[in-house]
Amino acid sequence: MTPDWAELGNSLAIVGAGALAGFLIYLVLRLIFTGLIRSPRGAWLAPVQALCRAPARLLFPLLGARLALPQAFDQDIGPWLHALEIALIAVAAFLVLRLLRAATDVVSTRLGVDHPDNLNARRVLTQLRVIRGVLAAVVVLGAAIGILFTFPEPVSYTHLRAHETIHAISYAVFCLKRGGGGGGGGGGG
């Protein structure tokens, strides 16, 4: 059976449009953040935008493609959906890690660690870095658990064998030819 190239092209165009819509949402949010940064009270958002630009640039198009994929294809797209879900979890974790780093950067600039008498500020900054490290470990662990939960649950070998009849088992034990296949007879020697 030959593939229907026109249908495939239309489906890929739908997925591409979803990714493009996600990228446009990213651009709109970037413009909003840029406007907030230029306001007198929004200067502290500059490191947040700088650190979160790359993961957000990936996250929104992936999200748009993930939402468009089921509408674009009629056949089984399970592996593609699974790959997109894994990518979304990884990029979302990357974004959260960057947000944690941006938060610590904002707090460290407000603490004024550069002053000569800054023992209290350095103590707070050290505690903040420890908390960021613990939270980063929780985020990475949560992302790994989330990715592992996307895989289907395995079926145990015992469960598979429970559905066999005594005739199927005896046939497998006594009648099936051993020797590794490959044709040609013999046993590989």
Side-chain angles (χ1 to χ4, degrees), residues 115-130:
H115 298 311
D117 188 22
N118 61 359
L119 186 60
N120 190 31
R122 286 187 294 156
R123 180 181 56 84
V124 171
L125 186 62
T126 302
Q127 292 172 350
L128 191 62
R129 286 181 179 162
V130 169

